[in-house]
Amino acid sequence: MSTPTQPFTPSADLARPTVADAVVGHAETPLFIRKPNADDGWGVYELIKACPPLDVNSAYAYLLLATQFRDTCAVATNEEGEIVGFVSGYVKDNAPDTYFLWQVAVGEKARGTGLARRLVEAIMSRPELDDVHHLETTITPDNLASWGLFRRLAARWHAPLNSREYFSTEQLGGEHDPENLVRIGPFQTDRI
């Protein structure tokens, strides 16, 4: 018995509004937010490389995120299908009411549009995350952009934000700033 094959759909076609979770930006430069797929792995890898100081993982890791964790990740593309934003994360097995956000990246072409917040909120509003009422992430103490994003999310969601040191410099090999665990919640997903 043969396995049925699914038709190939280029990334540019997947970026069309008919399959996007959300369309954001200005009318002349719309951005499309959707779940990633295997065709997006390399584009996500290239985006992360272009967004220092983000830690760059392997292209294989981004392919896994785009396929195995696609329900809890999001990409934003422009009309040409170029990936200009990405959020990765997962619902914690040991705390199914908590979404752990791993990485947020917004490319230079999309900065200043509120895209990072919109990507996070697009994921949090998916039916797969209806039972999630907390968001966790880690942020280095000097990453002011990330601190600002998560403070804005907490304020928008009318939820408390708490933080504490999570990984020390020593635990991270001595060459990486410490990471603080940041927790927002509880919040109601119908308010996002």
Side-chain angles (χ1 to χ4, degrees), residues 7-60:
F8 174 78
T9 306
S11 291
D13 290 343
L14 289 169
R16 302 211 187 292
T18 55
V19 297
D21 292 338
V23 179
V24 299
H26 306 290
E28 63 276 1
T29 57
L31 300 173
F32 307 100
I33 297 174
R34 61 174 171 77
K35 293 180 181 180
N37 62 64
D39 293 335
D40 297 321
W42 187 257
V44 169
Y45 174 71
E46 290 294 321
L47 173 69
I48 301 297
K49 285 188 348 187
C51 293
L54 290 178
D55 292 326
V56 179
N57 299 287
S58 70
Y60 179 72

Side-chain angles (χ1 to χ4, degrees), residues 92 136-141 147 161-168 171 178-183:
K92 293 172 68 170
E136 290 181 351
T137 193
T138 63
I139 307 174
T140 57
W147 282 106
L161 180 147
N162 295 291
S163 70
R164 64 176 173 83
E165 187 174 288
Y166 192 58
F167 294 126
S168 68
Q171 288 172 312
E179 293 275 352
N180 287 344
L181 179 66
V182 178
R183 182 173 171 89

Side-chain angles (χ1 to χ4, degrees), residues 1-137:
M1 180 189 307
S2 65
T3 304
T5 59
Q6 296 194 3
F8 174 78
T9 306
S11 291
D13 290 343
L14 289 169
R16 302 211 187 292
T18 55
V19 297
D21 292 338
V23 179
V24 299
H26 306 290
E28 63 276 1
T29 57
L31 300 173
F32 307 100
I33 297 174
R34 61 174 171 77
K35 293 180 181 180
N37 62 64
D39 293 335
D40 297 321
W42 187 257
V44 169
Y45 174 71
E46 290 294 321
L47 173 69
I48 301 297
K49 285 188 348 187
C51 293
L54 290 178
D55 292 326
V56 179
N57 299 287
S58 70
Y60 179 72
Y62 294 112
L63 278 169
L64 287 176
L65 288 167
T67 56
Q68 302 297 312
F69 295 91
R70 71 185 308 263
D71 289 342
T72 57
C73 296
V75 293
T77 61
N78 59 21
E79 286 187 297
E80 291 77 40
E82 176 187 7
I83 294 173
V84 295
F86 177 68
V87 170
S88 62
Y90 55 88
V91 176
K92 293 172 68 170
D93 284 339
N94 62 346
D97 69 337
T98 303
Y99 174 80
F100 185 87
L101 191 151
W102 182 9
Q103 219 167 21
V104 178
V106 175
E108 192 172 325
K109 293 179 182 179
R111 290 188 186 142
T113 63
L115 182 60
R117 177 189 56 82
R118 292 169 189 252
L119 281 161
V120 173
E121 290 184 339
I123 293 170
M124 298 307 296
S125 65
R126 290 179 182 161
E128 297 92 340
L129 277 74
D130 279 349
D131 295 330
V132 169
H133 301 286
H134 294 88
L135 180 147
E136 290 181 351
T137 193

